[in-house]
Amino acid sequence: MDNSPSQDDPGQPPVPAPVPLTKPELKPRAEPVAEPVAEPVAAPRPSAAPVADAEMRVSDADRERIAELLRDAYAEGRLDAEEHAERIEAAYAARTFGDLAPLTRDLPAHRSVSFDKPPLGAQEPAPAPARPLPPARQEAPSVVAIFGGAARKGRWRVGSHLTAFTAFGGVDIDLTDAVFESPEVEITVTAIFGGVEIRVPENVSLLGSGVGIFGGFDVREQTVADPYAPVVRVKGVALFGGCNAKPRRGKKLREWVRKQLDTE
């Protein structure tokens, strides 16, 4: 006898259909994308900083140009002998334009130092006409100083003979701006308990022979290449005193009457 319930038996609830056990579909894990590695950028090389105008090196021509301006200023009376000597020495020792600029800054009649270079092919401006020099003075052929001092400098005419005598004093003879009227100048020095200072242009031959008795007689001889250049001869004696003769750098002889007459 079959005791299983009938499918048409309304008294039994229906049996639900079995649900298949399935795992949810898993999405594939996205692979991490590698970020591009930035290549190191080379740091730009520092460019060489431009050199300041005042630090630019000067040439011998630049030094000589400033020395010429200083010589003109001294001849015009804008600088005294001591200022001129100091500035000339600084001009020839200058290394940069910054060293040269202060030397002519207070000279209104002259061009100041320019750091600008003219372009290639450009014509340089015509130089200003030279100012006429004052006439040379006619001086006595002797310089005497006793218990004091005497000086002979500036534009003065020097002949073939000159005498310097000092006793308990000093004599200063400056030939750097003198007008030479003779190809040879002989200077006779007598210094007793005193001193004699002699300066000549650098393009003049200087020769000397003297005696120092309890003193000194120093002549810095030089012979220039120009065979027609004047010759200055210094001789004499220094008793308990001294004589010092030397060329002055930066000062050149400009006028020589005899040479000018020969070339005309």
Side-chain angles (χ1 to χ4, degrees), residues 54-59 62-63 90-100:
E55 298 177 359
M56 294 288 290
R57 292 274 183 166
V58 296
S59 63
D62 296 324
R63 298 185 185 94
Y92 282 106
R95 295 186 177 182
T96 65
F97 281 104
D99 298 333
L100 289 179

Side-chain angles (χ1 to χ4, degrees), residues 27-112:
K27 295 183 179 181
R29 181 181 298 178
E31 295 291 337
V33 179
E35 297 181 358
V37 179
E39 297 181 358
V41 180
R45 295 180 178 178
S47 58
V51 180
D53 291 336
E55 298 177 359
M56 294 288 290
R57 292 274 183 166
V58 296
S59 63
D60 291 338
D62 296 324
R63 298 185 185 94
E64 189 61 34
R65 178 166 59 92
I66 297 303
E68 187 70 20
L69 295 179
L70 295 175
R71 284 192 287 267
D72 292 341
Y74 175 64
E76 295 168 1
R78 299 184 184 276
L79 299 174
D80 58 27
E82 184 176 355
E83 291 174 333
H84 175 259
E86 292 177 354
R87 297 194 187 194
I88 282 290
E89 183 177 359
Y92 282 106
R95 295 186 177 182
T96 65
F97 281 104
D99 298 333
L100 289 179
L103 301 179
T104 57
R105 185 174 298 165
D106 57 347
L107 302 178
H110 304 296
R111 296 179 290 107
S112 60

Side-chain angles (χ1 to χ4, degrees), residues 107-235:
L107 302 178
H110 304 296
R111 296 179 290 107
S112 60
V113 179
S114 175
F115 302 128
D116 299 330
K117 297 296 182 181
L120 295 177
Q123 295 182 354
E124 296 184 358
R131 295 187 177 185
L133 296 175
R137 307 185 311 272
Q138 189 69 40
E139 299 284 356
S142 61
V143 185
V144 179
I146 301 175
F147 289 97
R152 186 72 58 82
K153 60 179 63 177
R155 284 179 50 78
W156 59 288
R157 296 182 178 274
V158 56
S160 59
H161 291 85
L162 185 64
T163 302
F165 176 83
T166 179
F168 299 93
V171 171
D172 184 9
I173 299 177
D174 190 352
L175 300 175
T176 55
D177 289 318
V179 177
F180 284 70
E181 296 182 332
S182 175
E184 184 169 334
V185 180
E186 183 178 271
I187 303 177
T188 303
V189 175
T190 303
I192 303 174
F193 291 95
V196 176
E197 185 81 15
I198 301 174
R199 293 183 296 275
V200 302
E202 64 179 359
N203 58 342
V204 169
S205 295
L206 177 62
L207 304 175
S209 60
V211 179
I213 303 175
F214 294 99
F217 205 102
D218 182 18
V219 178
R220 300 183 187 178
E221 296 187 349
Q222 71 169 8
T223 303
V224 298
D226 185 3
Y228 300 101
V231 179
V232 177
R233 299 182 184 272
V234 181
K235 65 178 184 178

